[in-house]
Amino acid sequence: MEKVGVYDELDNLKATELRLGLPGTEETVSCGKSNKRALPNNTEKEIESTGKTETASPPKAQIVGWPPVRSYRKNNIQTKKNESEGQGNYVKVSMDGAPYLRKIDLTMYKQYPELMKSLENMFKFSVGEYFEREGYKGSDFVPTYEDKDGDWMLVGDVPWEMFVSSCKRLRIMKGSEVKGLGCGV
Amino acid sequence: MTEEDSSAKMSEDVEKYLNLNPPCSSSSSSSSAATFTNKSRNFKSSPPPCPDHVLENVLENVLQFLTSRCDRNAVSLVCRSWYRVEAQTRLEVFIGNCYSLSPARLIHRFKRVRSLVLKGKPRFADFNLMPPNWGAQFSPWVAATAKAYPWLEKVHLKRMFVTDDDLALLAESFPGFKELTLVCCEGFGTSGIAIVANKCRQLKVLDLMESEVTDDELDWISCFPEGETHLESLSFDCIESPINFKALEELVVRSPFLKKLRTNRFVSLEELHRLMVRAPQLTSLGTGSFSPDNVPQGEQQPDYAAAFRACKSIVCLSGFREFRPEYLLAISSVCANLTSLNFSYANISPHMLKPIISNCHNIRVFWALDSIRDEGLQAVAATCKELRELRIFPFDPREDSEGPVSGVGLQAISEGCRKLESILYFCQNMTNGAVTAMSENCPQLTVFRLCIMGRHRPDHVTGKPMDDGFGAIVKNCKKLTRLAVSGLLTDEAFSYIGEYGKLIRTLSVAFAGNSDKALRYVLEGCPKLQKLEIRDSPFGDVGLRSGMHRYSNMRFVWLSSCLISRGGCRGVSHALPNVVVEVFGADGDDDEDTVTGDYVETLYLYRSLDGPRKDAPKFVTIL
């Protein structure tokens, strides 16, 4: 049976917290470190916050505490234990235009393609194809992340392990904001 | 006091009472005291006992036979004298909600408690719907009982927060301590367990069930004292850290009374074998990983089947945490005697199940994953005619996973296992037909918990809501005390529950109903309702208000992600001073972007004799 991945309900409540968020308003401008792609300084328009009772049809991502199976049981069913034990590494994920923030556990993935697929499912979009020099092509959406230094980077630029250990949060940028990344739109 | 002593004393008292009161006198108790004094001048015996004392003595002797807490509660309401005597003789106290009274009140009323059962957090806390550090600490209870009941022998806790310090205080304060059971608890680690193991020299039972135990990297098994132990039950299957196997083996060898042993997944099949050989008297065995450490080389592997054959008393099997199918048949020889089998952590296919289950004619309790599929359930139905309790858990607990069990399996069980009393069934799809069939075939059902994992999912054959199925359950299962509903449900389902669910004590609702009417039906219709837990359903203040007449008589009500407002909750708290009304958000943040204004994420209300608790964390507001 496939790994459940991001849909695991784990002990950490914050893992599947649904929150209203204004994506990307706190980001900083990156200074020129040579191996990082710089993001433009964003003066983002405030995205209208939608009320909690907004009737956006809920994506099929998991609801907190549903189905009602205790974490202990979920984590201990055979074959799930074969994965590494660990606290999990939870990062917030926002997408431009989406009303809710999500949280995912990066340790549930082994490589970039798995992560991307999961994000695509979660937010119902597609990222296009990744190219080392040019970034993502073929889509309006670009996955970015904030690293330990506060710089915004393109997801995929660094080796996976380095990414997992340095990623603080993810943001899926859209449209015009993407230009500074040197991606083909 | 032994029975003989007390009845001798009783007849002495009665004699004295009769001698001093002439049969024709019909004096009241107040004047008879004066009569005694005058007449007693002629008697050599000591001052006669007042009739109240005699009566209390008699009552004490009678009440010691009453163990049921319902009976005792009734007795204590008769009059003050009975209340007093009952309080003196209650040995086991059950507290269903630790916040319904203070420890001080407990020790003030009951003076001779030997056994304490305490429950803390409400059940929905198990599903991450309650922020951490909400409460339910054992500390104040152990502190109070340490002073008041030095003879305490048994503590049973469920969903409580227990620290290592609490366990240390327990171990130090109760020299005769015999039984510790911690179910779904957290806050402690192996160091706390080590202290209990070491200091409680009379320990008979140490059972840790589904609790979170931090690994303090301590060899707690070696902390049991040398020499023969009194251990009868040792369950540590939830300890997620390796143990010193040699120490465990030695412990088992010097525990001749050991009947129940539930090991954790760090005990391999070879190690299990060694334990079984040393403890053939076991009645309940948790098999640990059920997987060998080493790849066996031909004849060198131990004879597992022989070890099971030698354990002729085993009636309960669990574990199988990492089982290897090729070894499963080793348990065959005990199958005919098994009354309880728990495969719920093992990915067992129908093919693996059939040869095992076909011998389990005496099974009463069976837990498994839905990996056994409808086919496996049919095999259970064909053989397990004595089945009383069935639990089927999802291997893949997501809304859109494959559904290997369905109404087909449910119906088969209902047709084969007519004595069924309790069922918990996770599935993706269900039909009203199958649920109705169960209601008709299994009239002994007291617990019916059906979880259709897809929210709002209708009958997958007819497309209709699941109202009729659940309606049939409440109508036909006249002994039903616990119900959990799911799937697409309209207010009509709740009207059935209110109309027929007259014995229901616990009701769990999620993603169901259309309006406040549903909640009203239940609150007005179910007189025995004690525990009501509801999430993500369109119930608002009107529905909440409709239960005002009930809340003081209920253990708790939980409403989360519904449509209630702060104002509505405040209304309840103002109207019912002996009910504590707590509101909080789901994640305990103090963030501005979570709960604001009037919206209430979670309402948890419960009756309390001692008012609101003083240990509520910041994120909880008590209205």
XYZ file of all heavy atoms in Angstrom, chain B residues 284-366:
639
model
N -3.061 -14.578 28.609
C -3.185 -13.508 27.630
C -1.795 -13.122 27.161
O -0.926 -12.817 27.979
C -3.898 -12.313 28.270
O -3.873 -11.206 27.407
N -1.584 -13.148 25.860
C -0.250 -12.915 25.325
C -0.276 -11.853 24.238
O -1.021 -11.961 23.259
C 0.306 -14.226 24.749
C 1.708 -14.163 24.128
C 2.750 -13.776 25.166
C 2.065 -15.495 23.494
N 0.546 -10.825 24.421
C 0.758 -9.832 23.375
C 2.053 -10.196 22.692
O 3.103 -10.146 23.326
N 1.975 -10.555 21.425
C 3.081 -11.243 20.790
C 4.198 -10.350 20.258
O 5.099 -10.838 19.578
C 2.566 -12.091 19.608
O 1.924 -11.197 18.680
C 1.570 -13.134 20.058
N 4.137 -9.064 20.517
C 5.237 -8.209 20.067
C 5.279 -8.113 18.556
O 4.256 -8.014 17.896
N 6.454 -8.196 17.993
C 6.578 -7.990 16.555
C 6.072 -9.186 15.756
O 5.594 -9.052 14.643
C 8.026 -7.707 16.180
O 8.797 -8.886 16.349
N 6.213 -10.376 16.316
C 5.884 -11.637 15.633
C 6.679 -11.752 14.343
O 6.193 -12.206 13.301
C 4.379 -11.743 15.358
C 3.907 -13.172 15.369
C 3.732 -13.833 16.566
C 3.661 -13.854 14.187
C 3.311 -15.155 16.596
C 3.241 -15.179 14.198
C 3.060 -15.828 15.399
N 7.928 -11.371 14.460
C 8.805 -11.423 13.307
C 10.188 -11.802 13.821
O 10.617 -11.295 14.861
C 8.793 -10.049 12.657
O 9.818 -9.902 11.737
N 10.868 -12.697 13.132
C 12.163 -13.125 13.679
C 13.239 -12.072 13.463
O 13.199 -11.313 12.506
C 12.479 -14.395 12.897
C 11.684 -14.294 11.647
C 10.517 -13.421 11.906
N 14.188 -12.045 14.391
C 15.336 -11.162 14.253
C 16.213 -11.583 13.099
O 16.741 -10.776 12.351
C 16.200 -11.244 15.529
C 15.845 -10.127 16.485
O 15.294 -9.124 16.007
O 16.121 -10.262 17.675
N 16.412 -12.889 13.030
C 17.361 -13.410 12.043
C 16.647 -14.270 11.027
O 15.698 -14.970 11.347
C 18.417 -14.266 12.734
C 19.091 -13.486 13.839
O 19.598 -12.410 13.623
N 19.056 -14.044 15.038
N 17.134 -14.206 9.847
C 16.579 -15.095 8.841
C 16.933 -16.517 9.249
O 18.091 -16.839 9.464
C 17.192 -14.786 7.455
C 16.690 -15.764 6.418
C 16.855 -13.362 7.057
N 15.943 -17.355 9.393
C 16.213 -18.689 9.948
C 16.973 -19.559 8.948
O 16.793 -19.425 7.748
C 14.820 -19.260 10.210
C 13.932 -18.534 9.281
C 14.522 -17.178 9.067
N 17.835 -20.423 9.513
C 18.565 -21.335 8.646
C 18.097 -22.745 8.895
O 18.528 -23.404 9.829
C 20.079 -21.252 8.936
C 20.739 -20.048 8.313
C 21.358 -19.131 9.352
O 21.539 -19.525 10.491
N 21.666 -17.918 8.956
N 17.151 -23.166 8.110
C 16.709 -24.553 8.170
C 16.154 -24.945 9.519
O 15.284 -24.274 10.073
N 16.692 -26.049 10.065
C 16.118 -26.589 11.306
C 16.527 -25.796 12.522
O 16.123 -26.125 13.614
C 16.553 -28.054 11.520
C 15.893 -29.055 10.573
C 16.740 -29.238 9.333
O 17.921 -29.620 9.497
O 16.241 -28.998 8.239
N 17.335 -24.776 12.333
C 17.816 -24.094 13.532
C 16.776 -23.195 14.161
O 16.974 -22.716 15.253
C 19.055 -23.257 13.193
C 20.292 -24.123 13.070
C 21.487 -23.321 12.606
O 21.374 -22.106 12.406
N 22.588 -23.974 12.424
N 15.698 -22.962 13.451
C 14.754 -22.037 14.062
C 13.906 -22.733 15.125
O 13.648 -23.927 15.041
C 13.874 -21.356 13.015
C 12.933 -22.267 12.278
C 12.035 -21.469 11.357
O 11.540 -20.413 11.733
N 11.829 -21.963 10.160
N 13.500 -21.949 16.132
C 12.741 -22.547 17.237
C 11.392 -23.080 16.748
O 10.871 -22.643 15.728
C 12.510 -21.367 18.194
C 13.419 -20.291 17.757
C 13.716 -20.509 16.324
N 10.858 -24.010 17.490
C 9.570 -24.594 17.143
C 8.466 -23.756 17.762
O 8.054 -23.976 18.908
C 9.523 -26.038 17.650
C 8.312 -26.792 17.108
O 7.390 -26.121 16.564
O 8.271 -28.021 17.235
N 7.994 -22.781 16.980
C 7.001 -21.857 17.515
C 5.678 -22.552 17.770
O 4.989 -22.305 18.764
C 6.817 -20.669 16.561
C 8.095 -19.889 16.359
C 8.697 -19.808 15.110
C 8.709 -19.246 17.431
C 9.875 -19.105 14.929
C 9.894 -18.547 17.259
C 10.471 -18.480 16.003
O 11.640 -17.792 15.830
N 5.311 -23.442 16.887
C 4.036 -24.136 17.067
C 4.037 -24.915 18.366
O 3.028 -24.952 19.086
C 3.772 -25.057 15.880
N 5.170 -25.521 18.676
C 5.254 -26.289 19.920
C 5.093 -25.378 21.130
O 4.441 -25.740 22.115
C 6.584 -27.036 19.979
N 5.688 -24.214 21.055
C 5.574 -23.265 22.175
C 4.115 -22.880 22.389
O 3.639 -22.811 23.526
C 6.412 -22.025 21.894
N 3.394 -22.648 21.304
C 1.973 -22.314 21.452
C 1.193 -23.507 21.978
O 0.283 -23.372 22.784
C 1.391 -21.813 20.125
C 1.633 -20.339 19.897
C 2.735 -19.902 19.171
C 0.783 -19.387 20.435
C 2.979 -18.545 18.983
C 1.014 -18.029 20.259
C 2.118 -17.604 19.535
N 1.561 -24.685 21.519
C 0.861 -25.879 22.014
C 1.038 -26.014 23.506
O 0.131 -26.436 24.216
C 1.398 -27.139 21.326
C 0.666 -27.504 20.043
C 0.958 -28.926 19.625
N 2.369 -29.162 19.398
C 3.001 -28.905 18.256
N 2.351 -28.399 17.231
N 4.305 -29.142 18.142
N 2.225 -25.662 23.979
C 2.500 -25.811 25.411
C 1.729 -24.812 26.252
O 1.491 -25.033 27.443
C 4.000 -25.660 25.666
N 1.332 -23.704 25.659
C 0.592 -22.698 26.427
C -0.885 -22.991 26.323
O -1.636 -22.321 25.590
C 0.897 -21.294 25.884
S 2.559 -20.759 26.257
N -1.300 -23.961 27.089
C -2.663 -24.464 26.939
C -3.713 -23.521 27.468
O -4.907 -23.710 27.214
C -2.783 -25.808 27.664
C -1.871 -26.870 27.101
C -2.141 -28.209 27.756
C -1.027 -29.188 27.479
N -0.788 -29.399 26.041
N -3.264 -22.521 28.218
C -4.252 -21.638 28.854
C -4.508 -20.356 28.096
O -5.323 -19.550 28.521
C -3.796 -21.276 30.265
O -3.434 -22.430 30.969
N -3.826 -20.169 26.990
C -3.980 -18.884 26.283
C -5.385 -18.744 25.731
O -5.857 -19.598 24.977
C -2.957 -18.742 25.149
C -1.581 -18.501 25.741
C -3.322 -17.564 24.246
C -0.521 -18.174 24.717
N -6.038 -17.658 26.122
C -7.370 -17.375 25.573
C -7.403 -16.026 24.844
O -8.389 -15.687 24.195
C -8.456 -17.384 26.673
C -8.626 -18.777 27.224
C -8.152 -16.396 27.754
N -6.319 -15.269 24.971
C -6.322 -13.937 24.386
C -4.994 -13.674 23.698
O -3.940 -13.807 24.325
C -6.564 -12.921 25.506
S -6.431 -11.234 24.987
N -5.046 -13.305 22.417
C -3.828 -13.038 21.658
C -3.888 -11.666 21.017
O -4.925 -11.274 20.468
C -3.659 -14.060 20.534
C -2.909 -15.358 20.801
C -2.782 -16.126 19.491
C -1.527 -15.094 21.371
N -2.757 -10.955 21.076
C -2.693 -9.652 20.420
C -1.262 -9.416 19.969
O -0.424 -10.324 20.068
C -3.149 -8.563 21.387
O -2.289 -8.536 22.510
N -0.960 -8.229 19.486
C 0.406 -7.934 19.047
C 0.497 -7.994 17.540
O -0.185 -7.243 16.854
N 1.337 -8.892 17.046
C 1.508 -9.077 15.598
C 1.870 -7.764 14.920
O 1.372 -7.476 13.830
C 0.239 -9.675 14.976
C -0.219 -10.935 15.658
C -1.265 -10.897 16.563
C 0.422 -12.145 15.413
C -1.678 -12.055 17.214
C 0.012 -13.313 16.057
C -1.030 -13.267 16.954
N 2.760 -7.004 15.561
C 3.018 -5.653 15.083
C 3.779 -5.610 13.781
O 3.681 -4.667 13.018
C 3.789 -4.858 16.137
C 3.057 -4.644 17.415
C 1.839 -3.803 17.207
N 1.096 -3.567 18.403
C 1.020 -2.383 19.003
N 1.658 -1.356 18.506
N 0.297 -2.256 20.086
N 4.600 -6.603 13.532
C 5.382 -6.604 12.295
C 5.378 -8.018 11.726
O 6.380 -8.493 11.219
C 6.817 -6.158 12.595
C 6.910 -4.680 12.917
C 8.211 -4.286 13.587
O 9.143 -5.113 13.613
O 8.285 -3.148 14.096
N 4.251 -8.651 11.791
C 4.201 -10.101 11.621
C 4.658 -10.556 10.239
O 4.506 -9.858 9.245
C 2.781 -10.598 11.902
C 1.896 -10.624 10.686
C 1.516 -11.819 10.105
C 1.462 -9.445 10.112
C 0.719 -11.842 8.984
C 0.657 -9.447 8.991
C 0.282 -10.664 8.419
N 5.209 -11.746 10.233
C 5.568 -12.373 8.981
C 4.566 -13.497 8.745
O 4.426 -14.394 9.571
C 6.988 -12.931 9.067
C 8.028 -11.853 9.351
C 8.309 -11.024 8.111
N 8.883 -11.865 7.077
C 10.171 -12.175 6.992
N 11.027 -11.706 7.883
N 10.601 -12.934 6.033
N 3.887 -13.466 7.611
C 2.794 -14.413 7.376
C 3.204 -15.876 7.531
O 2.405 -16.692 7.966
C 2.364 -14.138 5.936
C 2.952 -12.828 5.571
C 4.080 -12.541 6.475
N 4.428 -16.186 7.183
C 4.810 -17.599 7.210
C 4.804 -18.180 8.623
O 4.823 -19.387 8.799
C 6.178 -17.810 6.554
C 7.286 -16.921 7.067
C 7.448 -15.597 6.296
O 6.427 -15.051 5.811
O 8.585 -15.108 6.207
N 4.735 -17.335 9.624
C 4.730 -17.837 11.006
C 3.349 -17.819 11.641
O 3.168 -18.302 12.752
C 5.694 -17.017 11.873
C 7.120 -17.154 11.417
C 7.731 -16.158 10.647
C 7.851 -18.283 11.732
C 9.031 -16.298 10.205
C 9.153 -18.432 11.301
C 9.740 -17.440 10.538
O 11.024 -17.580 10.097
N 2.411 -17.291 10.935
C 1.100 -17.091 11.551
C 0.460 -18.405 11.989
O -0.178 -18.476 13.038
C 0.186 -16.355 10.564
C -1.001 -15.617 11.164
C -0.564 -14.676 12.266
C -1.738 -14.850 10.074
N 0.656 -19.431 11.202
C -0.013 -20.693 11.525
C 0.498 -21.333 12.808
O -0.119 -22.260 13.316
C 0.121 -21.672 10.357
C -0.764 -21.308 9.167
C -0.476 -22.185 7.960
C -2.233 -21.401 9.542
N 1.602 -20.830 13.339
C 2.099 -21.361 14.613
C 1.065 -21.225 15.727
O 1.077 -21.982 16.697
C 3.389 -20.644 15.014
N 0.168 -20.249 15.579
C -0.805 -20.040 16.658
C -1.998 -20.997 16.558
O -2.865 -21.001 17.430
C -1.327 -18.585 16.696
C -2.283 -18.295 15.534
C -0.191 -17.593 16.719
C -2.964 -16.933 15.642
N -2.027 -21.813 15.539
C -3.208 -22.643 15.287
C -3.683 -23.445 16.482
O -4.887 -23.563 16.718
C -2.932 -23.628 14.136
O -2.613 -22.911 12.982
N -2.749 -23.984 17.250
C -3.179 -24.883 18.325
C -3.973 -24.166 19.411
O -4.744 -24.792 20.122
C -1.969 -25.574 18.948
O -1.074 -24.597 19.422
N -3.789 -22.854 19.536
C -4.550 -22.168 20.593
C -5.874 -21.613 20.083
O -6.687 -21.141 20.867
C -3.738 -21.020 21.255
C -2.461 -21.554 21.846
C -3.466 -19.922 20.287
N -6.097 -21.676 18.779
C -7.288 -21.039 18.207
C -8.586 -21.525 18.809
O -9.505 -20.742 19.050
C -7.335 -21.258 16.690
S -6.107 -20.272 15.826
N -8.662 -22.822 19.053
C -9.927 -23.376 19.542
C -10.275 -22.844 20.920
O -11.449 -22.781 21.292
C -9.852 -24.894 19.564
N -9.252 -22.428 21.677
C -9.508 -21.912 23.033
C -9.633 -20.406 23.082
O -10.041 -19.851 24.091
C -8.357 -22.291 23.963
C -8.290 -23.774 24.179
O -9.309 -24.458 24.102
N -7.095 -24.274 24.438
N -9.279 -19.753 21.986
C -9.244 -18.290 22.016
C -10.618 -17.678 22.220
O -11.581 -18.049 21.541
C -8.688 -17.733 20.708
C -7.179 -17.687 20.532
C -6.843 -16.994 19.212
C -6.490 -16.957 21.668
N -10.685 -16.719 23.148
C -11.907 -15.934 23.266
C -11.685 -14.519 22.737
O -12.639 -13.804 22.455
C -12.387 -15.844 24.725
O -11.314 -15.342 25.523
C -12.818 -17.198 25.242
N -10.423 -14.137 22.613
C -10.155 -12.783 22.150
C -8.941 -12.779 21.227
O -7.901 -13.332 21.574
C -9.908 -11.884 23.366
O -9.472 -10.622 22.963
N -9.088 -12.170 20.055
C -8.002 -12.126 19.079
C -7.914 -10.719 18.494
O -8.894 -10.199 17.958
C -8.270 -13.149 17.961
C -7.243 -13.240 16.829
C -5.853 -13.543 17.348
C -7.673 -14.288 15.803
N -6.732 -10.133 18.617
C -6.555 -8.763 18.141
C -5.503 -8.736 17.040
O -4.307 -8.814 17.299
C -6.130 -7.852 19.310
C -5.987 -6.406 18.903
O -5.981 -6.069 17.709
N -5.864 -5.522 19.871
N -5.958 -8.609 15.804
C -5.077 -8.519 14.644
C -5.029 -7.086 14.125
O -4.693 -6.871 12.961
C -5.606 -9.415 13.514
C -5.171 -10.863 13.578
C -5.925 -11.844 12.951
C -4.013 -11.247 14.231
C -5.535 -13.181 12.979
C -3.613 -12.570 14.275
C -4.380 -13.547 13.643
N -5.412 -6.120 14.960
C -5.668 -4.790 14.396
C -4.428 -3.972 14.063
O -4.534 -2.827 13.645
C -6.575 -3.991 15.325
O -5.906 -3.706 16.527
N -3.246 -4.537 14.274
C -2.046 -3.854 13.809
C -1.365 -4.650 12.700
O -0.233 -4.371 12.332
C -1.066 -3.640 14.973
C -1.576 -2.619 15.955
C -2.248 -3.010 17.108
C -1.399 -1.255 15.734
C -2.732 -2.069 17.992
C -1.874 -0.314 16.617
C -2.546 -0.731 17.750
O -3.032 0.201 18.630
N -2.061 -5.653 12.198
C -1.431 -6.549 11.234
C -2.175 -6.537 9.907
O -3.393 -6.709 9.861
C -1.394 -7.962 11.802
N -1.430 -6.381 8.860
C -1.996 -6.309 7.519
C -2.308 -7.718 7.014
O -1.600 -8.270 6.170
C -0.960 -5.616 6.621
C -1.498 -5.334 5.251
O -2.679 -5.522 4.985
N -0.625 -4.894 4.361
N -3.367 -8.276 7.530
C -3.692 -9.670 7.241
C -4.710 -9.765 6.116
O -5.757 -9.132 6.157
C -4.222 -10.351 8.518
C -3.066 -10.480 9.508
C -4.841 -11.709 8.228
C -3.378 -11.279 10.732
N -4.407 -10.565 5.138
C -5.298 -10.733 3.988
C -6.323 -11.825 4.279
O -6.152 -12.609 5.212
C -4.467 -11.137 2.769
O -3.961 -12.446 2.999
N -7.365 -11.913 3.462
C -8.342 -12.990 3.674
C -7.676 -14.367 3.621
O -7.988 -15.256 4.408
C -9.328 -12.829 2.507
C -9.125 -11.453 2.011
C -7.747 -11.034 2.349
N -6.756 -14.500 2.704
C -6.064 -15.765 2.517
C -5.316 -16.183 3.779
O -5.296 -17.360 4.152
C -5.105 -15.599 1.333
C -4.186 -16.742 1.134
N -4.619 -17.960 0.655
C -2.861 -16.862 1.342
C -3.581 -18.775 0.587
N -2.513 -18.140 0.999
N -4.714 -15.213 4.460
C -3.986 -15.516 5.699
C -4.953 -15.765 6.841
O -4.684 -16.551 7.742
C -3.108 -14.337 6.086
C -1.965 -14.049 5.158
S -1.219 -12.501 5.739
C -0.528 -11.887 4.238
N -6.080 -15.094 6.805
C -7.008 -15.168 7.936
C -7.746 -16.492 7.996
O -7.932 -17.070 9.065
C -8.012 -14.017 7.857
C -9.057 -13.996 8.978
C -8.411 -13.642 10.311
C -10.194 -13.033 8.672
N -8.164 -16.947 6.825
C -9.091 -18.094 6.809
C -8.624 -19.324 7.586
O -9.394 -19.863 8.380
C -9.432 -18.462 5.367
C -10.434 -17.511 4.751
C -10.768 -17.934 3.333
C -11.629 -16.912 2.649
N -11.880 -17.269 1.250
N -7.397 -19.802 7.361
C -7.011 -21.012 8.107
C -6.974 -20.792 9.619
O -7.150 -21.728 10.394
C -5.611 -21.340 7.566
C -5.158 -20.157 6.816
C -6.326 -19.340 6.452
N -6.771 -19.563 10.035
C -6.724 -19.283 11.472
C -8.141 -19.214 12.023
O -8.494 -19.878 12.996
C -6.038 -17.923 11.732
C -4.637 -17.888 11.158
C -6.059 -17.586 13.203
C -3.615 -18.595 11.972
N -8.945 -18.403 11.393
C -10.261 -18.103 11.957
C -11.191 -19.297 11.898
O -12.122 -19.423 12.703
C -10.884 -16.862 11.265
C -11.813 -16.121 12.214
C -11.595 -17.215 9.991
C -11.107 -15.285 13.241
N -10.905 -20.229 10.976
C -11.807 -21.369 10.835
C -11.751 -22.277 12.065
O -12.623 -23.121 12.248
C -11.463 -22.172 9.582
O -10.121 -22.601 9.656
N -10.743 -22.075 12.914
C -10.665 -22.858 14.156
C -11.139 -22.086 15.371
O -11.194 -22.618 16.472
C -9.214 -23.295 14.404
C -8.768 -24.303 13.378
O -9.536 -25.160 12.970
N -7.524 -24.183 12.941
N -11.474 -20.819 15.188
C -11.769 -19.969 16.350
C -13.244 -19.988 16.699
O -13.931 -18.964 16.642
C -11.307 -18.539 16.066
S -9.531 -18.376 15.890
N -13.709 -21.155 17.089
C -15.140 -21.288 17.343
C -15.589 -20.566 18.593
O -16.774 -20.269 18.748
C -15.510 -22.771 17.485
C -15.244 -23.536 16.242
N -14.109 -24.289 16.052
C -15.936 -23.633 15.099
C -14.126 -24.838 14.856
N -15.222 -24.451 14.255
N -14.665 -20.296 19.497
C -15.056 -19.717 20.782
C -14.782 -18.231 20.900
O -14.971 -17.658 21.966
C -14.333 -20.441 21.911
C -14.906 -21.823 22.115
O -16.122 -22.000 22.160
N -14.048 -22.819 22.203
N -14.368 -17.663 19.799
C -13.997 -16.249 19.876
C -15.180 -15.362 20.235
O -16.254 -15.482 19.644
C -13.384 -15.805 18.541
C -11.897 -16.082 18.597
C -13.635 -14.357 18.247
C -11.049 -15.081 17.935
N -14.926 -14.458 21.172
C -15.959 -13.491 21.551
C -15.599 -12.078 21.142
O -16.466 -11.244 20.944
C -16.147 -13.522 23.058
C -16.753 -14.800 23.486
C -17.080 -14.786 24.958
N -18.002 -15.855 25.199
C -19.078 -15.775 25.951
N -19.354 -14.663 26.579
N -19.878 -16.798 26.080
N -14.297 -11.835 21.069
C -13.839 -10.492 20.731
C -12.851 -10.603 19.581
O -11.868 -11.333 19.685
C -13.142 -9.843 21.948
C -12.550 -8.495 21.569
C -14.105 -9.696 23.106
N -13.110 -9.900 18.493
C -12.214 -9.959 17.342
C -11.981 -8.557 16.816
O -12.915 -7.859 16.436
C -12.823 -10.845 16.252
C -11.940 -10.993 15.033
C -10.650 -11.500 15.159
C -12.388 -10.648 13.768
C -9.823 -11.636 14.041
C -11.573 -10.794 12.646
C -10.288 -11.287 12.789
